[in-house]
Structures are given as structure tokens and as C-alpha cells.
Amino acid sequence: MDLIPAPHQMERATGFFELGDGFGIEAGPGTEDTARWLRATLGPATGLALPPKKGDEHDVLHLSVRPGLDAEAYRLVIAPHGVHIQGGSHSGVFWGAQTLRQLLGSDAFRRAPLPGRTWRLPLTEIRDSPRFRWRGLMLDVARHFMPKEGVLRYLDLMAAHKLNVFHFHLTDDQGWRIRIERHPRLTEIGSWRARTKTGHRASPLWEEKPHGGYYTQDDIREIVAYAAERHITVVPEIDVPGHSQAAIAAYPELGNTDVIDTTALSVWDTWGINPNVLAPTDNTLRFYEGVFEEVLELFPSEFVHVGGDECPKDQWRRSETAQARIRELGLADEDELQSWFIGHFDTWLAARGRRLIGWDEILEGGLAKGAAVSSWRGYAGGIAAARAGHDVVMCPEQQVYLDHRQAPGPDEPVPIGWVRTLEDVYRFEPVPPELTPEEARHVLGTQANVWTEVMEDPARVDYQTFPRLAAFAEVAWSALPAPAERDFAGFERRMTAHYRRLDALGVAYRPPAGPLPWQRRPGVLGRPIDGPPPSR
């Protein structure tokens, strides 16, 4: 039983439970969504109708919420007379159903039954619950747009790995991807660029055609609803005050107009850290309050991500408007000006019952009490935030940036960053040992980040994300020993079965032996970094 992520406790008995044509589902109160999901996925894969059945009938999958279990915990019992999934909440029942699907074999991940296929489940009892409540994947759709169907597919892939937070990176210098009705030029102008750099920003290659796309508000509602049916929370990211050239190109008054001619800016067509940042004016604040008002209507998540990373201060240093604001507020410098900018939206979101989260640069200059931190530049930001009483999501680039290359050597397509192998990700530990038990309670969980500068299509996203996301999912869910003591050989053995599941799902993952010929990108310049990454 090669389950990924590994369950907390499992007892195997001799024999199997055979699924006949009359096999059906009894959905107790609070489990109806899981029953619908099972019929929509296992029904087509197996050819079984999975009709509603009563508890006293044979060949029944019993779904129930059991008070006393942790919310996301489940108990799965496969006995000779039937199957039971009990969850501490409707989420726990759903995660149990994901385990059931894996136990049926890789063909249960297909969309139609294969001829002659029979279905059986090993007699077993599994008790399971997650280590972290935030088990996330960040997908950057700003650099390369992913159409709605691709996003829905990734939500399914997340659910199959028991991941439950989708961090949706919707805006950046290279594109604005969400329709804002009161500011229509954000998508009319900001959602497309005239051309695109191919490879790293030092590459001489360009794709000389427009690139773009955006989600309508109904698209967003559909994505959020689809995620909710899979017990995934969508956390939107609207990046401020840096990474904002697409917005400034659409509305030049948002930029530092006393320093540069913002009317000459277009949506950025290359990569890197952009010097064009938002002006710290009342007009900018009101504009983005309008943006966030529409965002809050679309996303019911507790957290809203405001970016806050990689904001060069040079324009603010040269801007009399920015300097006047520093003097007016009695601030020490431009770092405190950014802190004031972020703090404004922390207060604004808190007044509406939401919580701000941002990249760890938001710690610079001071951070509002209720804000949370995504620690990406290593562990240091997360350690500092936790010690200061802030909640933290650990996503250090040295460990879980999946745009980084998976192996050394010339065959790795557009090699970026450090080598992060499947084993490296499997040995990632989200909770730094420097934290006391009280401080460690501020670590909400962990997240893998997929930045798409050099991922031009869904197949490239698949290649960079898988199979490493499977290792990450086990780190986020399972109660693993210390990194050096983890059984990576055992995980690799279980991955043999998991590769077949990914094949059935059509995932273009990196094979263990290296990239296939069509997965390579010969001649496209990357930015590999030699040696091991910093440990902290």
C-alpha cells in the first residue's frame, strides 16, 4: 500500500474487499460534498454508478463525521462487509476519500475505465491526521498566464496530495490577471505584454509575440468554489508596493511621477527586480482599497497576501512626494515608509475581518501585530517573525522553490538556482530547531512556491513541480522523523506506484532518470547557482 503522503497509523489484514456493480455510498450529515466528489471521480474511472445506499445494506461505503477527531483527521476501515470513512469534519472525510482512491490503484485516477478492470481494496485500518494546518502551493500566473482550466487541474492535483492552501499570485510587473470592475484598464492594458524574455533575464532570446490573459470575476468565483469543494482555501496575492509595473502601465498616476515619466511605461517584458514601484500617496492608497474591496468580495479566505517583497527604494529617495510623506509621518527612512504602506493595509484588512500576510521583507521597518509572514529568503525571517509573535508560513527558497533546478548537468531545462532534488525536498524541515515550543506554535505550516518566469506552458510547470510536490506533500502532512533519519529509500519505493498515478492524471513530471528529449531546452540560458544552498 504505497500511500503518499504516508499515513500516521496503518494496520493491514489479510484479504480484500471486492467492489461489485452494486457498490454504493451512504453519506451521513456533512459528508455530501465528498459523496459528490467520489461519484464525479471514481464513478468515471471505475464505471460504477455508486448510488446512494442505506447503512444496513452490503457493499456500502459509509461516510460520517465523528466528533472527537481533529478537524482534518480521518479513520478509514476496509472490512469484509463494507468500507467506513470517519472524519473529524467534512474535511477529514474528504482526505480519507483521497486515501481510498490511492488504495484502488493508479487506474482509479483515470477518466474512464479500462477494459476488464476489476476493483478491490485491501482490508486495512488507517488512522491519520496532518502535521500542519497550512499545506500550501503558490502558483505564479502573472509571469506566464495559466488559463482557468489549468488552474482547476492544479487544484485537483493539490487535493490528490492533501494540500489545502492555494496561494494565487495574481499580479506582478509582467501582468495583472484579475478583472477589477472599477479599474478596467488593469486588465485592458495590464494583462498583456508585447513580447516575452525566453530564459533568464540575461538570455538574448525573445518570444516576439504578445502574451497575456486574465480571469473574469466569474472565473474567480468558479475557481474559489471548485477549491472549496476540495477543501482548499484560495489566498489571493495582490503585490504592493513593488512588483507593480503592470498596474502603473495601466494607471500611470500610481507611479512616482515626479521622478520618471510613468506614461512611457508598458507592461514589463523581462524578469528581475523592477525599479518602478508605487508612489506612497493617498491616491494610491484609495486606488488599492478599491482593488481590495473587490478582492474581498471574491475570496472569503482569512488571509490576503499583499506581497511586500523586492521593493527598491531608489525612486522614493529621489521623490519629493515620498520624502514629504516621510517627514509628515515622522518616519526614519524609506524602509519605515514601506512599513507604513503595508501597515495601512494591515489595519484596513483587519477592520474587515481579514488578516494580512506578506513576504518576509514586510518585517523591515516594523510589522503590525496581526500580520503574518511568508518566510522565503531562508529561515531567518520566519524565526524573527515567530519570536516577535507573528504567525509564519515557511517557504524558504533554498528548500522549496520548485522553479529551482532538479539536478546538475546540461540537460536540465533552463536551469535556475540551486540543485533541489527529490531527496532534498523530502528532507526539508519547516520548523527551525532554534524556535522554542511556544515560538514554534506560530509556524502555521509550509508552502512550495512555483514561479513561472521560465515556465512557458503547463507542461513546463508540471516538470518543475512534480515529482517534488509529492515529497513536499509528505513533509507537510506526515509525522516524519528528523531530516537525516527519514526513510528516503522507502519513499522512492512508494513513488514507483505514485508515478503511475501521475501518469494516469497526465502529469508531465520529471522522470527519475532525467528529462525526456522534449522536456529539454537546449541553448536557453538559465541562472544556475553552484554548491549547496545556505542552510539558514
Side-chain angles (χ1 to χ4, degrees):
M1 294 188 291
D2 299 316
L3 299 175
I4 292 177
H8 181 69
Q9 185 179 10
M10 179 167 56
E11 297 178 12
R12 175 77 165 90
T14 302
F16 292 88
F17 174 83
E18 304 285 342
L19 278 66
D21 290 338
F23 184 73
I25 301 174
E26 180 193 31
T31 70
E32 295 85 357
D33 61 340
T34 298
R36 285 194 300 272
W37 179 84
L38 285 165
R39 292 188 179 101
T41 53
L42 293 188
T46 62
L48 301 174
L50 305 178
K53 298 194 80 171
K54 300 289 187 182
D56 55 356
E57 298 181 64
H58 294 290
D59 292 341
V60 178
L61 168 59
H62 307 269
L63 306 177
S64 61
V65 173
R66 178 184 171 187
L69 290 176
D70 290 341
E72 290 191 279
Y74 68 89
R75 178 172 177 256
L76 169 61
V77 177
I78 303 169
H81 57 278
V83 182
H84 298 259
I85 299 177
Q86 299 173 328
S89 69
H90 56 308
S91 295
V93 176
F94 183 74
W95 302 131
Q98 294 292 342
T99 299
L100 179 76
R101 188 188 192 190
Q102 288 197 16
L103 291 172
L104 283 169
S106 59
D107 288 342
F109 291 78
R110 298 189 179 277
R111 297 187 182 183
L114 300 183
R117 183 72 163 85
T118 58
W119 302 96
R120 64 180 190 174
L121 291 163
L123 301 183
T124 189
E125 179 175 348
I126 294 173
R127 296 174 183 266
D128 200 9
S129 60
R131 180 183 179 191
F132 294 110
R133 74 177 177 102
W134 186 301
R135 306 180 302 279
L137 174 69
M138 189 228 68
L139 180 62
D140 167 20
V141 297
R143 273 53 176 271
H144 277 98
F145 179 65
M146 181 176 284
K148 180 189 68 177
E149 288 302 317
V151 174
L152 300 179
R153 173 176 174 264
Y154 259 81
L155 292 170
D156 281 329
L157 291 172
M158 288 179 65
H161 292 83
K162 299 187 175 74
L163 300 174
N164 69 340
V165 178
F166 179 56
H167 176 167
F168 206 6
H169 185 81
L170 288 163
T171 74
D172 218 296
D173 299 302
Q174 296 85 1
W176 186 284
R177 305 295 179 212
I178 177 173
R179 174 76 176 180
I180 302 297
E181 298 299 341
R182 73 189 69 186
H183 301 308
R185 294 208 304 272
L186 286 171
T187 44
E188 291 169 359
I189 295 172
S191 70
W192 67 275
R193 56 184 181 262
R195 64 175 187 167
T196 300
K197 173 68 72 173
T198 299
H200 182 253
R201 60 180 176 271
S203 168
L205 304 176
W206 295 86
E207 184 180 39
E208 298 285 352
K209 69 178 185 180
H211 176 87
Y214 66 90
Y215 309 103
T216 68
Q217 294 203 352
D218 280 345
D219 290 338
I220 294 293
R221 292 183 182 98
E222 180 183 355
I223 288 167
V224 170
Y226 194 86
E229 289 173 353
R230 286 145 185 81
H231 301 272
I232 295 170
T233 299
V234 183
V235 174
E237 181 180 355
I238 305 296
D239 220 331
V240 296
H243 288 285
S244 297
Q245 184 163 317
I248 298 169
Y251 292 92
E253 65 271 21
L254 296 174
N256 294 283
T257 57
D258 59 345
V259 174
I260 63 164
D261 178 9
T262 56
T263 64
L265 294 178
S266 59
V267 178
W268 212 26
D269 56 13
T270 189
W271 321 122
I273 299 176
N274 190 305
N276 297 303
V277 303
L278 297 174
T281 64
D282 290 341
N283 175 68
T284 300
L285 297 180
R286 300 294 89 75
F287 182 97
Y288 274 88
E289 285 172 1
V291 169
F292 282 116
E293 282 177 5
E294 295 192 25
V295 167
L296 297 190
E297 291 173 0
L298 296 168
F299 296 93
S301 56
E302 174 187 3
F303 288 97
V304 175
H305 208 291
V306 300
D309 64 317
E310 296 179 331
C311 178
K313 309 298 194 300
D314 182 63
Q315 288 185 357
W316 287 354
R317 293 186 186 99
R318 295 187 289 129
S319 166
E320 179 51 38
T321 300
Q323 293 302 311
R325 178 123 276 182
I326 289 174
R327 292 192 296 270
E328 170 198 338
L329 297 169
L331 304 177
D333 54 22
E334 291 75 20
D335 284 343
E336 286 195 7
L337 183 61
Q338 178 172 343
S339 177
W340 165 81
F341 196 107
I342 296 297
H344 173 87
F345 287 103
D346 179 67
T347 301
W348 189 91
L349 288 166
R352 289 153 180 82
R354 306 299 185 92
R355 293 183 65 189
L356 179 146
I357 186 169
W359 303 111
D360 55 54
E361 285 95 330
I362 68 174
L363 288 163
E364 297 165 3
L367 182 59
K369 184 177 181 181
V373 170
S374 301
S375 187
W376 76 272
R377 293 180 297 177
Y379 287 90
I383 292 170
R387 285 176 173 168
H390 296 286
D391 287 338
V392 178
V393 175
M394 284 293 185
C395 48
E397 65 167 331
Q398 302 90 339
Q399 309 293 333
V400 288
Y401 266 36
L402 301 186
D403 50 312
H404 285 201
R405 57 193 173 133
Q406 301 183 64
D411 284 343
E412 211 59 32
V414 200
I416 299 294
W418 292 285
V419 172
R420 294 287 83 192
T421 66
L422 184 67
E423 181 172 0
D424 290 330
V425 174
Y426 190 68
R427 297 194 188 281
F428 163 58
E429 173 49 49
V431 179
E434 296 93 327
L435 296 180
T436 66
E438 179 64 29
E439 292 164 346
R441 279 193 277 274
H442 284 291
V443 179
L444 301 177
T446 183
Q447 178 173 288
N449 293 341
V450 180
W451 300 103
T452 62
E453 286 96 332
V454 300
M455 301 181 209
E456 72 279 4
D457 57 38
R460 279 286 289 128
V461 176
D462 279 6
Y463 179 92
Q464 291 298 134
T465 304
F466 290 96
R468 292 182 295 181
L469 192 68
F472 173 80
E474 185 146 310
V475 169
W477 178 278
S478 304
L480 298 177
E485 300 168 8
R486 293 176 188 173
D487 181 11
F488 179 68
F491 176 77
E492 278 193 305
R493 285 192 296 273
R494 286 183 285 125
M495 278 301 299
T496 302
H498 201 65
Y499 285 122
R500 293 194 293 271
R501 297 177 193 129
L502 297 178
D503 286 334
L505 288 166
V507 177
Y509 58 84
R510 182 190 189 276
L516 299 167
W518 55 87
Q519 293 175 320
R520 297 169 186 154
R521 297 292 184 272
V524 180
L525 185 67
R527 186 184 62 93
I529 303 175
D530 294 329
S535 60
R536 284 288 180 267

